[in-house]
Amino acid sequence: MTARAGSGASISGWRTGQSVLRMAWRHVWRRPLQSLFLVAGVAIGVAMIVGIDLANGAAQRAFELGTESIAGRATHEIVGGPSGLDQSLYVQLRREEGYTLSAPVVEDYVVVEELDRQPVRLLGIDPFAEAPFRSFLGRGDAGPSAPNYLDDFMARPNTVLMSVATAARYGVDVGAPITALSGGREFTLEVVGLLEPADELSARALDNLLLADIATAQEVFGRVGRLDRIDLILPSGDAGAAWMERFQALLPDDARLAAASSRAGTVNEMTAAFRLNLTALSLLALVVGLFLIYNTVTFSVIQRRPVIGSLRALGMTRGEIFGMVLGEAILLGILGTGLGLGLGVLLGQGAVQLVTQTINDLFFVVAVRDVDLPASTLLKGGAIGVLAATIGAAIPAWEATGVPPVGAFQRSQIEERSRRLLPWVAAAAVGLLAVGGLLLIPDWNLIVAFVGLFAVIVGCALLTPLLTWVVMAAVQWFSGTVLRAPGNLLWRMAPRTILRSLSRTSVAVAALMVAVSVIIGVGVMISSFRNTVSLWLDEVLQADVFVSPPSYAANQVLTTLDPATVEWFADYPGVSSMATTRGVDVAAFLDSAPDSVTDSGTDSATEPVASGAASTVRLVAISQDLAGEDRRYRASVGDSATTWAAVQEGAILVNEPMANRHDLQVGDSIRLQTDRGPEAFTIAGVNVDFDVNDVILMADPVYRSHWNDLAISAIGLFLEPGQDVDAMVNTMRASAAQRAHGAQEVVIQSNRGTRENALAVFDRTFAITVALQVLAALVAFIGILSTLMSLQLERMREIGILRATGMTRGQLWRLSLIETGLIGATAGLIAVPTGLVLAVILIYIINLRSFGWTLEMQLAAGEFGRAFVVALAAALLAGIYPAWRMGRIQPAIAVRAE
């Protein structure tokens, strides 16, 4: 009997659950517009999270695949200085030392006309040494047709291989010539074979890659007799350590042995903060969406208070009421999540272009054409969407359980409860603000800083009900004492209406306030950043005309100018003087124990240790300080003249991001790998710079004395007094185009043109940020519309009575728009100080810890004024439809009893 009773209870409970779900579904189906609000809020938030995650993941995977395709199975590498390695070192390793697990590499980017002028990596290899490292030429990847082209590839000069997919995409056939541009020089190469990858991973690794014989690559890049590096596969344990000792004894002063994974780790570290910033901003839309979900579910509870009261009178328990309301929200949240996943994939396709463009501009070249759909991203987006719907609906669902049968038609109950809770909500807000401040003050992990930022945002949102009450009370006082004319009756009614429904109106104000405050905070940060960069460009771009080779890779500094080209510009009529720049990548020993490092991710007891592990930094040698007295320093040994004198004597300058990233101070020493071996250089100053890379400035004579390098990367020309810079640039471009065939192609830009190009890169960097701001504002707009629809339903009888006693449709319209205007104005007023706080946090904490930049805040009244107008306009636009519906309500229908 007991078992049967238990079974019967289970069946009864299951049937009751089914009934509750059917009731929830019927309500959803009968209120499509209201349901659409919740679905839209969840969908937009999930779409932003998934889209940004897909874009970040696609760019990161493209870099990782590119790194894998280049590094292959190498565990270590021998690298040289700016001029690379003498290829005789490789011969010595193979012949004298007999170490066959070694392979020479020459690599760089070229632009190929036939491949839509996209930067592609040209990898020069030795076909006879490649098998252990990269299986490009093995039968596993190349397919059965490999013997047909390997003979031509190894025996004929100026030949290359490309993947089947790349050839098909651009319509390139075997035997077709392609035109490659490198450093302003043009080369004709012949495609003698197509690589057929064995799997999808190999196909992705081969995308954006051309394979050439080592001699062909040396000729294209102007490095005949030189290698970029020598790849090694070292055994683990004592055998590997023994080989490393032998190699160290063979290395010249300008070479070092490093772990193959060190380069990828450095780039990952630089881009991690960029990806984290985008992810945090995408989460913002979901935070705003939580307010929308709360409002929508509250609207649903208000609509069904009589029904809920009747159900309670008929015996439905509070738990069943809670399950019905929460189940409805979860059901809509699942629909919104599904829609958001689909929109997120579409958004990811567009966002990947913006993200990769920024990475190309600031960090390194990635070629991303397709967006993968990893299950982890979709599962994460789905879980976050459903969780957001559950959290946003939990409080209204709990409130629904408190509806007593006798109070079902008493709308004031929930407002009385809300007023009683107002002090507690304000106290919670103050507590969250304090917690956020405590998390932001210490220099902790960047994720902790973002948690503190979100705590501040939520704390400000929780203060909104109290601040809304204060603002409406002030409006009531003003309209009651100053605007006492009969025609101003609507201005006295509107704030009372908002206060009577404070539990709903304050949520709409909070959602709009958060969106607008982010517009203010991010807008002030971007404008301050742009102004700071603009001032910095004015300081460092002192020459009239700048000449450089074409740059095909992100922040490329290795390409050089021909000596003949430099001499031609130096002697050009109208040029009074010239300054030179040489940019190279060098090894810097920045850790506390630079003499040894364990291969990343391995056990030091079993894996070989690379002696002299170092970070790659960008070294820029300048013949004169173009900024001069205008150059700004965060710290230095003295004034501008004293600091530059110290640099001319052998000291160096480091940029602010490098100093912050590695905790460097003026007076510290950095060891750099020179062509004479590791040398120590003292830091004379930390200069203002907005390159995300680690950058060191050095006087040109000091650089030439430590490195066997006579090349020049770029030149700055000073024109004679009275010369028209733009006219001179046009004349130089025409003259350069008419030079003898085979002369180096160069980029000639005026001071103004160089500055405009730099700011164009800046604007592209923040394009995706602006797009995310707009989406967050859209969610807030939907939230206001939902609130106004809720107020309209709640006031149905009141509106009917007003119409019956003589209020016209026009007056109803004005009353509705005054109410929405007050909501928007209140949100705008609260958003101004909140946005200012966010700007301070973004400028002085988030950006400084993310990238190492110290920005100068620029407060423009227009930025705050525009944000206030956005809040007011969004509210007024959202109020048009509810006002139109209010005007159409028939008094007899509105006042009749239900």
Side-chain angles (χ1 to χ4, degrees), residues 476-485 488 492:
Q476 274 187 307
W477 174 85
F478 183 79
S479 61
T481 56
V482 180
L483 303 177
R484 297 184 61 86
N488 294 320
R492 296 198 293 273

PDB file of all heavy atoms in Angstrom, residues 476-485 488 492:
ATOM      1  N   GLN A 476       8.144  66.565  -8.151  1.00  0.00           N
ATOM      2  CA  GLN A 476       6.842  66.788  -7.543  1.00  0.00           C
ATOM      3  C   GLN A 476       6.799  68.125  -6.798  1.00  0.00           C
ATOM      4  O   GLN A 476       5.838  68.893  -6.905  1.00  0.00           O
ATOM      5  CB  GLN A 476       6.514  65.654  -6.564  1.00  0.00           C
ATOM      6  CG  GLN A 476       5.867  64.438  -7.205  1.00  0.00           C
ATOM      7  CD  GLN A 476       5.419  63.453  -6.150  1.00  0.00           C
ATOM      8  OE1 GLN A 476       6.189  63.038  -5.295  1.00  0.00           O
ATOM      9  NE2 GLN A 476       4.159  63.078  -6.206  1.00  0.00           N
ATOM     10  N   TRP A 477       7.843  68.388  -6.021  1.00  0.00           N
ATOM     11  CA  TRP A 477       7.891  69.651  -5.287  1.00  0.00           C
ATOM     12  C   TRP A 477       7.905  70.835  -6.239  1.00  0.00           C
ATOM     13  O   TRP A 477       7.179  71.820  -6.042  1.00  0.00           O
ATOM     14  CB  TRP A 477       9.133  69.677  -4.407  1.00  0.00           C
ATOM     15  CG  TRP A 477       9.327  71.016  -3.729  1.00  0.00           C
ATOM     16  CD1 TRP A 477       8.769  71.432  -2.563  1.00  0.00           C
ATOM     17  CD2 TRP A 477      10.141  72.091  -4.213  1.00  0.00           C
ATOM     18  NE1 TRP A 477       9.160  72.716  -2.280  1.00  0.00           N
ATOM     19  CE2 TRP A 477      10.013  73.157  -3.283  1.00  0.00           C
ATOM     20  CE3 TRP A 477      10.955  72.267  -5.335  1.00  0.00           C
ATOM     21  CZ2 TRP A 477      10.675  74.361  -3.437  1.00  0.00           C
ATOM     22  CZ3 TRP A 477      11.598  73.477  -5.502  1.00  0.00           C
ATOM     23  CH2 TRP A 477      11.470  74.512  -4.556  1.00  0.00           C
ATOM     24  N   PHE A 478       8.727  70.732  -7.290  1.00  0.00           N
ATOM     25  CA  PHE A 478       8.837  71.838  -8.233  1.00  0.00           C
ATOM     26  C   PHE A 478       7.511  72.074  -8.961  1.00  0.00           C
ATOM     27  O   PHE A 478       7.065  73.220  -9.117  1.00  0.00           O
ATOM     28  CB  PHE A 478       9.947  71.543  -9.248  1.00  0.00           C
ATOM     29  CG  PHE A 478      10.188  72.659 -10.228  1.00  0.00           C
ATOM     30  CD1 PHE A 478      10.922  73.773  -9.871  1.00  0.00           C
ATOM     31  CD2 PHE A 478       9.672  72.596 -11.518  1.00  0.00           C
ATOM     32  CE1 PHE A 478      11.146  74.807 -10.766  1.00  0.00           C
ATOM     33  CE2 PHE A 478       9.885  73.610 -12.421  1.00  0.00           C
ATOM     34  CZ  PHE A 478      10.627  74.725 -12.045  1.00  0.00           C
ATOM     35  N   SER A 479       6.892  70.982  -9.417  1.00  0.00           N
ATOM     36  CA  SER A 479       5.624  71.140 -10.139  1.00  0.00           C
ATOM     37  C   SER A 479       4.502  71.580  -9.225  1.00  0.00           C
ATOM     38  O   SER A 479       3.549  72.234  -9.669  1.00  0.00           O
ATOM     39  CB  SER A 479       5.243  69.819 -10.828  1.00  0.00           C
ATOM     40  OG  SER A 479       5.068  68.789  -9.860  1.00  0.00           O
ATOM     41  N   GLY A 480       4.593  71.237  -7.930  1.00  0.00           N
ATOM     42  CA  GLY A 480       3.532  71.621  -7.006  1.00  0.00           C
ATOM     43  C   GLY A 480       3.669  73.012  -6.466  1.00  0.00           C
ATOM     44  O   GLY A 480       2.673  73.616  -6.032  1.00  0.00           O
ATOM     45  N   THR A 481       4.878  73.560  -6.448  1.00  0.00           N
ATOM     46  CA  THR A 481       5.086  74.895  -5.890  1.00  0.00           C
ATOM     47  C   THR A 481       5.348  75.953  -6.942  1.00  0.00           C
ATOM     48  O   THR A 481       4.907  77.103  -6.810  1.00  0.00           O
ATOM     49  CB  THR A 481       6.284  74.874  -4.916  1.00  0.00           C
ATOM     50  OG1 THR A 481       7.445  74.388  -5.598  1.00  0.00           O
ATOM     51  CG2 THR A 481       5.986  73.987  -3.721  1.00  0.00           C
ATOM     52  N   VAL A 482       6.061  75.579  -7.994  1.00  0.00           N
ATOM     53  CA  VAL A 482       6.405  76.553  -9.038  1.00  0.00           C
ATOM     54  C   VAL A 482       5.420  76.475 -10.201  1.00  0.00           C
ATOM     55  O   VAL A 482       4.917  77.485 -10.687  1.00  0.00           O
ATOM     56  CB  VAL A 482       7.849  76.332  -9.525  1.00  0.00           C
ATOM     57  CG1 VAL A 482       8.203  77.337 -10.618  1.00  0.00           C
ATOM     58  CG2 VAL A 482       8.828  76.439  -8.356  1.00  0.00           C
ATOM     59  N   LEU A 483       5.125  75.242 -10.653  1.00  0.00           N
ATOM     60  CA  LEU A 483       4.233  75.068 -11.794  1.00  0.00           C
ATOM     61  C   LEU A 483       2.805  74.798 -11.294  1.00  0.00           C
ATOM     62  O   LEU A 483       2.266  73.716 -11.442  1.00  0.00           O
ATOM     63  CB  LEU A 483       4.722  73.909 -12.672  1.00  0.00           C
ATOM     64  CG  LEU A 483       6.152  74.005 -13.210  1.00  0.00           C
ATOM     65  CD1 LEU A 483       6.513  72.760 -13.986  1.00  0.00           C
ATOM     66  CD2 LEU A 483       6.312  75.243 -14.093  1.00  0.00           C
ATOM     67  N   ARG A 484       2.195  75.795 -10.690  1.00  0.00           N
ATOM     68  CA  ARG A 484       0.876  75.597 -10.089  1.00  0.00           C
ATOM     69  C   ARG A 484      -0.257  75.954 -11.048  1.00  0.00           C
ATOM     70  O   ARG A 484      -1.433  75.858 -10.680  1.00  0.00           O
ATOM     71  CB  ARG A 484       0.736  76.438  -8.818  1.00  0.00           C
ATOM     72  CG  ARG A 484       1.716  76.037  -7.727  1.00  0.00           C
ATOM     73  CD  ARG A 484       1.474  76.847  -6.458  1.00  0.00           C
ATOM     74  NE  ARG A 484       0.129  76.601  -5.936  1.00  0.00           N
ATOM     75  CZ  ARG A 484      -0.172  75.606  -5.125  1.00  0.00           C
ATOM     76  NH1 ARG A 484       0.777  74.745  -4.743  1.00  0.00           N
ATOM     77  NH2 ARG A 484      -1.409  75.453  -4.681  1.00  0.00           N
ATOM     78  N   ALA A 485       0.076  76.326 -12.276  1.00  0.00           N
ATOM     79  CA  ALA A 485      -0.984  76.671 -13.225  1.00  0.00           C
ATOM     80  C   ALA A 485      -1.791  75.424 -13.582  1.00  0.00           C
ATOM     81  O   ALA A 485      -1.258  74.307 -13.598  1.00  0.00           O
ATOM     82  CB  ALA A 485      -0.368  77.278 -14.490  1.00  0.00           C
ATOM     83  N   ASN A 488      -0.535  72.868 -16.030  1.00  0.00           N
ATOM     84  CA  ASN A 488       0.625  72.055 -15.675  1.00  0.00           C
ATOM     85  C   ASN A 488       0.251  70.866 -14.804  1.00  0.00           C
ATOM     86  O   ASN A 488       1.103  70.291 -14.125  1.00  0.00           O
ATOM     87  CB  ASN A 488       1.663  72.914 -14.939  1.00  0.00           C
ATOM     88  CG  ASN A 488       2.252  73.991 -15.844  1.00  0.00           C
ATOM     89  OD1 ASN A 488       2.511  73.738 -17.012  1.00  0.00           O
ATOM     90  ND2 ASN A 488       2.429  75.188 -15.295  1.00  0.00           N
ATOM     91  N   ARG A 492       2.387  67.391 -12.623  1.00  0.00           N
ATOM     92  CA  ARG A 492       2.244  66.939 -11.240  1.00  0.00           C
ATOM     93  C   ARG A 492       1.813  65.474 -11.190  1.00  0.00           C
ATOM     94  O   ARG A 492       2.128  64.755 -10.235  1.00  0.00           O
ATOM     95  CB  ARG A 492       1.237  67.827 -10.500  1.00  0.00           C
ATOM     96  CG  ARG A 492       1.701  69.268 -10.378  1.00  0.00           C
ATOM     97  CD  ARG A 492       0.928  70.006  -9.303  1.00  0.00           C
ATOM     98  NE  ARG A 492      -0.471  70.182  -9.636  1.00  0.00           N
ATOM     99  CZ  ARG A 492      -0.955  71.205 -10.353  1.00  0.00           C
ATOM    100  NH1 ARG A 492      -0.119  72.123 -10.816  1.00  0.00           N
ATOM    101  NH2 ARG A 492      -2.249  71.311 -10.605  1.00  0.00           N
TER     102      ARG A 492
END
